[in-house]
């Protein structure tokens, strides 16, 4: 089945084999993983994908900033975000979690069966803590939206009130930037950890679908803070640089760390993907009941399409 095929790339099959048979299986799996289009090394493809994602990230905040049109098509953005939620959930439950469990099972030694799942939960709680407890990014955005419509009353205190509002909004935007930066690093780490071209392409697709909503939300937060545009460009450029940092971390772990560390990182990233899909995207999109059926089918479309694409890429890699 699909998970078994995916997992075999990371170290053989789930059944017990003799050392010779297992060595042949691992060699074959490594050969499958090494197959990439045009003979370009996998790490080079990761850099290419990251460059594309960084470009998308920059375009998603720079173009609206220059054109002064932030959300021309809210429905399209909402449907894309719902679709990405399905993509993240499908990748987490259909690929990353089974793969990290396989990694733990083949790491050697006795390992508690519940440990991989608890690490996944730890990854979920990590991003939950960053976004809801330490910073409460969602509440910051709501407060800034409310503050953006607030007007000071009275001529004497009007300027002071406006300065306080802008200062508060600026701090809130920077805090939101920090939360989303951690979020971006963890997402991109998954791309660096990928062992096949198919996995890299799927993860890049899921991130590309999700990034526009994050970039525009962050841009809106900075604009509502009243911060000068040169400063906004500076802060958002820092945010765009977080992606390459995450990919570099993932590639370093994948190349130099032991299999147990690789599996642990996969479990943490899987937990963050569950958070993005189930706790961030779905509640956010269904707060507004408008177009709920379209968003629901978009969510299901994301889940189903990733399953179909995964099946197709696996047939390509096994051929």
């Amino acid at each position: 089945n699909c998970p078994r095929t995916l997992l075999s790339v990371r170290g053989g099959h789930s059944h017990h084999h003799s050392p010779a048979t297992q060595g042949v299986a691992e060699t074959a799996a490594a050969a499958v993983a090494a197959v990439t289009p045009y003979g370009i090394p996998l790490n080079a493809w990761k850099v290419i994908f990251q460059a594309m994602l960084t470009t998308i990230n920059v375009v998603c905040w720079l173009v609206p900033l220059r054109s002064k049109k932030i959300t021309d098509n809210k429905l399209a953005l909402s449907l894309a975000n719902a679709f990405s939620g399905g993509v993240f959930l499908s990748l987490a439950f259909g690929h990353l979690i089974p793969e990290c469990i396989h990694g733990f099972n083949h790491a050697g030694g006795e390992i508690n069966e519940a440990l991989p799942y608890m690490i996944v939960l730890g990854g979920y709680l990590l991003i939950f803590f960053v976004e809801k407890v330490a910073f409460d990014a969602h509440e910051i955005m709501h407060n800034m939206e409310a503050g953006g419509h607030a007007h000071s009353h009275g001529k004497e205190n009007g300027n002071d009130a406006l300065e306080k509002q802008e200062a508060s909004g600026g701090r809130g935007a920077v805090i939101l930037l920090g939360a989303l930066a951690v979020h971006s690093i963890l997402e991109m780490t998954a791309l660096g950890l990928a062992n096949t071209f198919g996995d890299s392409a799927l993860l890049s697709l899921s991130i590309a679908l999700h990034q526009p909503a994050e970039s525009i939300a962050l841009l809106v937060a900075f604009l509502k803070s009243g911060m000068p545009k040169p400063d906004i460009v500076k802060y958002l450029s820092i945010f765009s640089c977080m992606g390459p940092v995450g990919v570099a971390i993932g590639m370093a772990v994948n190349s130099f760390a032991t299999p147990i560390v690789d599996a642990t990182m996969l479990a943490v990233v899987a937990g963050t993907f569950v958070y993005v899909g189930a706790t961030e995207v779905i509640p956010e999109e269904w707060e507004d009941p408008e177009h709920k059926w379209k968003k629901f089918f978009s969510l299901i479309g994301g889940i189903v399409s990733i399953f179909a694409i995964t099946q197709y890429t696996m047939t390509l890699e096994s051929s």
Side-chain angles (χ1 to χ4, degrees):
N1 56 19
C2 173
R4 180 73 53 81
T5 308
L6 282 165
L7 300 180
S8 65
V9 175
R10 282 188 177 265
H13 305 282
S14 57
H15 300 294
H16 295 288
H17 298 285
S18 65
T21 305
Q22 186 172 356
V24 172
E26 290 179 352
T27 302
V32 170
V35 176
T36 57
Y38 307 108
I40 300 175
L42 179 58
N43 281 347
W45 273 114
K46 292 178 183 179
V47 173
I48 292 171
F49 285 139
Q50 177 51 58
M52 295 169 62
L53 290 171
T54 301
T55 301
I56 293 172
N57 185 303
V58 173
V59 167
C60 285
W61 59 258
L62 185 59
V63 171
L65 182 63
R66 299 301 183 191
S67 66
K68 300 180 181 179
K69 295 179 180 179
I70 307 301
T71 53
D72 285 339
N73 195 335
K74 291 184 178 180
L75 176 60
L77 185 63
S78 181
L79 292 178
N81 202 29
F83 186 88
S84 74
V87 168
F88 278 106
L89 289 175
S90 186
L91 283 172
F93 289 106
H95 175 37
L96 293 178
I97 293 176
E99 193 168 350
C100 78
I101 292 170
H102 177 85
F104 276 102
N105 290 339
H106 287 75
E110 293 294 329
I111 296 177
N112 190 310
E113 292 183 355
L115 180 61
Y117 300 98
M118 295 307 296
I119 296 176
V120 172
L121 178 58
Y124 177 96
L125 291 175
L126 171 63
I127 197 67
F128 177 83
F129 175 81
V130 171
E131 293 206 353
K132 296 293 186 182
V133 180
F135 301 122
D136 199 354
H138 192 66
E139 184 66 22
I140 290 171
M141 290 182 64
H142 275 290
N143 290 341
M144 294 180 71
E145 287 175 4
H149 299 290
H151 300 280
S152 56
H153 298 284
K155 295 182 179 179
E156 294 183 0
N157 298 326
N159 291 334
D160 291 341
L162 183 60
E163 289 177 2
K164 289 180 180 178
Q165 178 184 320
E166 290 182 353
S168 176
R171 285 194 299 270
V174 173
I175 291 172
L176 180 64
L177 170 66
L180 291 179
V182 174
H183 191 156
S184 178
I185 289 174
L186 290 172
E187 284 180 357
M188 294 299 184
T189 299
L191 176 58
L193 289 170
N195 267 7
T196 68
F197 174 81
D199 288 352
S200 300
L202 282 174
L203 289 164
S204 299
L205 173 64
S206 67
I207 295 168
L209 287 167
H210 185 66
Q211 271 193 342
E214 285 188 354
S215 298
I216 291 177
L218 190 57
L219 173 60
V220 170
F222 273 102
L223 288 176
K224 289 179 177 177
S225 72
M227 187 178 291
K229 282 191 176 181
D231 291 342
I232 294 177
V233 171
K234 179 180 68 176
Y235 280 112
L236 291 179
S237 298
I238 293 173
F239 172 67
S240 296
C241 292
M242 294 301 103
V245 172
V247 170
I249 292 172
M251 290 171 64
V253 169
N254 201 29
S255 299
F256 304 110
T258 61
I260 192 70
V261 175
D262 193 7
T264 301
M265 288 293 294
L266 278 175
V268 172
V269 170
T272 66
F273 276 30
V274 173
Y275 176 88
V276 172
T279 304
E280 181 178 284
V281 171
I282 292 178
E284 177 184 330
E285 291 303 330
W286 271 264
E287 276 185 356
D288 182 2
E290 189 177 8
H291 305 299
K292 62 181 179 180
W293 284 104
K294 291 181 181 179
K295 289 185 281 191
F296 175 75
F297 286 117
S298 184
L299 175 72
I300 298 300
I303 295 172
V304 173
S305 63
I306 285 302
F307 176 77
I309 293 172
T310 303
Q311 292 291 316
Y312 179 68
T313 54
M314 289 306 105
T315 58
L316 292 178
E317 288 171 3
S318 61
S319 62

